Amino acid sequence: QVQLVESGGGLVQPGGSLRLSCAASGFTLGYYAVGWFRQAPGKEREGVSCISTGDGRIFYADSVKGRFTVSRDNANNVAYLQMNSLKPEDTAVYYCAADNGPLGFPCTELPGTYDYWGQGAQVTVSS
């Protein structure tokens, strides 16, 4: 059964850090680009970051550049989103997704291209 499961969300104070994990099962995550998206109440889903297969493209939205770091551990079928210097405007449900595009093809921040999605993890930044 193909599945993506996010973990690591929670409540954190402004300026704090969280690391989201995205564990894949039923398929080899290393053959897929991985995207991270978020959706705040009343807003559209936003592409936050993505990482291609191999040594390909890494993307960050301007709103998180310099604060978030995406990575992947293909040996363990997991991807990560390290989030530092969190702000209240980062509050959202965060989703990871996997795109079965051509190997080495640049990843995209467009949600419509992704094949598999996790269930989402709530991140709340508040004092």
Side-chain angles (χ1 to χ4, degrees):
Q1 180 183 1
V2 170
Q3 199 171 13
L4 285 172
V5 178
E6 297 102 339
S7 61
L11 173 65
V12 64
Q13 292 186 341
S17 297
L18 285 174
R19 188 178 77 159
L20 300 180
S21 299
C22 175
S25 59
F27 68 102
T28 303
L29 191 61
Y31 295 146
Y32 290 69
V34 176
W36 286 94
F37 299 83
R38 67 185 180 187
Q39 189 164 18
K43 294 189 176 181
E44 292 188 354
R45 191 166 294 192
E46 171 192 16
V48 173
S49 180
C50 72
I51 182 168
S52 303
T53 56
D55 294 325
R57 180 191 188 220
I58 288 179
F59 161 82
Y60 296 103
D62 287 344
S63 56
V64 306
K65 203 170 291 184
R67 300 187 297 121
F68 289 13
T69 303
V70 64
S71 62
R72 61 194 307 157
D73 178 356
N74 291 337
N76 289 296
N77 234 24
V78 183
Y80 301 99
L81 185 68
Q82 177 68 44
M83 305 184 294
N84 299 329
S85 302
L86 283 161
K87 305 175 181 180
E89 51 264 42
D90 294 318
T91 296
V93 177
Y94 283 71
Y95 300 89
C96 68
D99 175 10
N100 187 21
L103 288 179
F105 201 74
C107 64
T108 173
E109 64 272 26
L110 301 176
T113 64
Y114 286 80
D115 302 288
Y116 305 131
W117 288 82
Q119 83 287 356
Q122 177 68 48
V123 172
T124 302
V125 185
S126 175
S127 54

